[in-house]
Amino acid sequence: MKVRDVMALMDAWAPPALAYSWDKAGLATGEPGARVGGVLACLTVTRAAFAAAKRARANVILSHHPLIWEPITTLRSDDPRAALCLEIAAAGTACYSAHTSLDVAMDGVNHVLADRLGLRETQPLFPVPQAEQWKLATFVPETHLAAVRDAVCAAGAGGMGRYTHCTFSAPGTGTFKPLAGAKPFSGEKFKVNEEPERRFETIFPKHRLSDVLAALRAAHPYEAIAYDLVKLENGDSSISLGLRGALAKPMALHAFAEFVRKRLDVAHVRAAGDPQRNVRTIAVMGGAGGSSAAEVPADVDVFVTGDVKYHEAVDAAERGLSIIDAGHHGTEKWIVPAIAGYLKAKAPKLRVSQYVESDPFTAITGKR
C-alpha cells in the first residue's frame, strides 16, 4: 500500500469535506506515493508517539489531533514542536490526521463515546453545515436504470444512516425531437418521439456533488441528460457535532459520574449539579465541548464532555443542566482503538499498531 491508500481509507470514513474550515487536518509530513511499512494510530503526535511508531516499524502515523496546529514560524531545533516535526520529516514518516471530520462523521469520536457509555436511541446533538444534502432527479430508460443507480450510489449518493442505495423510481413517458447533428440513443430524427422512461431520484451530501454528476454522465446513455438538483432543508442525520441518547435506566448523578469514570477509564471526572438528581437523557461531545454547553437542549439531563470552564459550569447549573467533565483526553482516547480496528478491517494485510498517550493531567488527592 501507498500512503495515499491509507489516506483514502480514512477519507472514506471521515471525508475531508466534513472538516471545519479552520481545521489543520490532513497530511502534515511525508509523501503520498511512499510505500507503507506499518501504521500507528494515536490521539496526538507526541515525541512518545513517534518513539512508539519507530518501535513498531511504522512509517505512517495516523492521528486524531493534527501534528501542526499553530503555525511554525521557524525550524529551530531548540523549539520542541519544530524539533519534533523536523525529526519526523527526516525519518520519512508520514503524519496524517482526521480531526473535525472524525468528530462529526458516522461512527466517529462521538459515536464511540456514546457507545462506551451505553447510550440508546442516539440522535444528533448539534446540526452542522457539513450535513447539507441535495436531491438528484433524472430520467432514465428502463434498460439503464440499474446502471445509473449503481453508478451514482458508488459515487456517494443514496446513503441514509446505515443504509445505502436508497433511491426511488417511477414510470413515465419522455418526449424528444432530434435535430440535425444529434445522435439519439433511440427514436427517429426530425420527429417527436415518445419513449418509456423512469424518473429516478436519490439524495447525496453536498460535498459529493461533482462525483455524483460525473457518475451520472458516465452511466447515462443519453447524449443530453435532463436532471434536477434540489437543496434539501433536512440534513444528513448521520453527521452531527455531538450526540444525545438515553441510559437504559435512570441513576443518580453521582452514580453516573462514577460510571463515566470507570467506562472511560480515567483517574477522575468533575461533576457539576445536584449529586442526588436522577438523570437519564445524556448528551456527549468528545474533546473541548464546554463552550457548547449553553446550546444543549433543555430536556437533556447531563452533558458529558471535556475542557469545561468555571463559568460554563455555573451557567449550565443555572438552567438545570448537569455537566460531567471527563477531560479532553478521556472523552477522545477511545477513537484510537476504533481507528486501528477500522484499518485492520479494511486492509487485513496492513500492519497496524496503536499508542494512547497518558493524560497530561494527573489527579492529585489528599486529606485537607
Side-chain angles (χ1 to χ4, degrees), residues 10-365:
M10 287 304 299
D11 291 352
W13 179 8
L18 296 184
Y20 286 88
S21 59
W22 44 261
D23 202 356
K24 309 297 194 301
L27 188 65
T29 61
E31 166 58 46
R35 289 188 176 276
V36 177
V39 177
L40 177 88
C42 67
L43 184 62
T44 308
V45 186
T46 61
R47 186 166 293 280
F50 180 40
K54 289 190 287 186
R55 289 194 301 271
R57 293 179 291 113
N59 65 333
V60 177
I61 297 177
L62 210 164
S63 66
H64 178 48
H65 297 141
L67 170 66
I68 301 172
W69 187 256
E70 297 296 338
I72 295 177
T73 56
T74 65
L75 293 176
R76 294 177 49 155
S77 57
D78 60 345
D79 176 276
R81 174 53 54 176
L84 176 60
C85 293
L86 285 170
E87 291 177 31
I88 289 173
T93 300
C95 285
Y96 184 81
S97 60
H99 189 216
T100 55
S101 60
L102 200 53
D103 286 328
V104 303
M106 170 73 86
D107 296 327
V109 171
N110 293 297
H111 289 82
V112 171
L113 178 56
D115 288 345
R116 290 295 304 176
L117 300 182
L119 300 189
R120 301 181 173 186
E121 301 174 356
T122 55
Q123 301 174 8
L125 180 59
F126 301 123
V128 294
Q130 301 95 305
E132 182 179 310
Q133 293 191 116
W134 287 64
K135 183 175 78 169
L136 165 70
T138 189
F139 307 90
V140 190
E142 183 79 38
T143 55
H144 286 69
L145 178 63
V148 169
R149 179 196 63 214
D150 292 344
V152 297
C153 288
M160 296 182 68
R162 300 191 185 279
Y163 294 85
T164 65
H165 292 72
C166 299
T167 68
F168 175 81
S169 67
T173 302
T175 64
F176 58 96
K177 181 179 181 180
L179 303 178
K183 299 177 180 179
F185 171 72
S186 62
E188 300 179 32
K189 283 189 177 183
F190 310 109
K191 174 185 175 182
V192 176
N193 296 270
E194 291 189 352
E195 295 289 340
E197 293 180 328
R198 285 274 181 168
R199 177 182 172 89
F200 170 80
E201 300 182 22
T202 189
I203 60 175
F204 61 90
K206 178 184 177 182
H207 67 271
R208 295 289 192 184
L209 174 60
S210 60
D211 295 335
V212 169
L213 290 183
L216 172 65
R217 295 187 184 102
H220 205 293
Y222 287 177
E223 183 178 22
I225 306 170
Y227 61 87
D228 298 329
L229 292 173
V230 181
K231 179 182 175 181
L232 303 179
E233 289 296 322
N234 56 309
D236 184 347
S237 60
S238 68
I239 300 170
S240 71
L241 187 59
L243 292 170
R244 56 175 295 172
L247 298 173
K249 60 181 180 180
M251 62 176 76
L253 177 62
H254 71 86
F256 179 60
E258 177 61 10
F259 173 77
V260 170
R261 188 191 70 78
K262 289 182 178 179
R263 289 297 298 158
L264 298 186
D265 190 25
V266 294
H268 72 287
V269 299
R270 298 188 301 161
D274 180 0
Q276 304 305 319
R277 176 193 180 191
N278 275 347
V279 299
R280 185 167 190 175
T281 304
I282 313 298
V284 298
M285 183 189 295
S291 60
S292 299
E295 307 301 322
V296 174
D299 61 337
V300 170
D301 298 324
V302 186
F303 184 36
V304 180
T305 188
D307 295 352
V308 180
K309 296 180 181 179
Y310 172 84
H311 288 291
E312 292 166 347
V314 170
D315 292 344
E318 285 293 316
R319 64 187 194 91
L321 174 67
S322 298
I323 289 183
I324 294 178
D325 185 341
H328 196 125
H329 176 268
T331 55
E332 288 191 334
K333 67 179 182 178
W334 294 101
I335 195 61
V336 176
I339 292 172
Y342 170 80
L343 290 178
K344 290 176 182 177
K346 293 296 182 179
K349 294 183 180 180
L350 184 64
R351 190 161 48 81
V352 180
S353 55
Q354 57 182 291
Y355 174 80
V356 182
E357 74 270 22
S358 300
D359 192 328
F361 293 102
T362 302
I364 305 298
T365 60

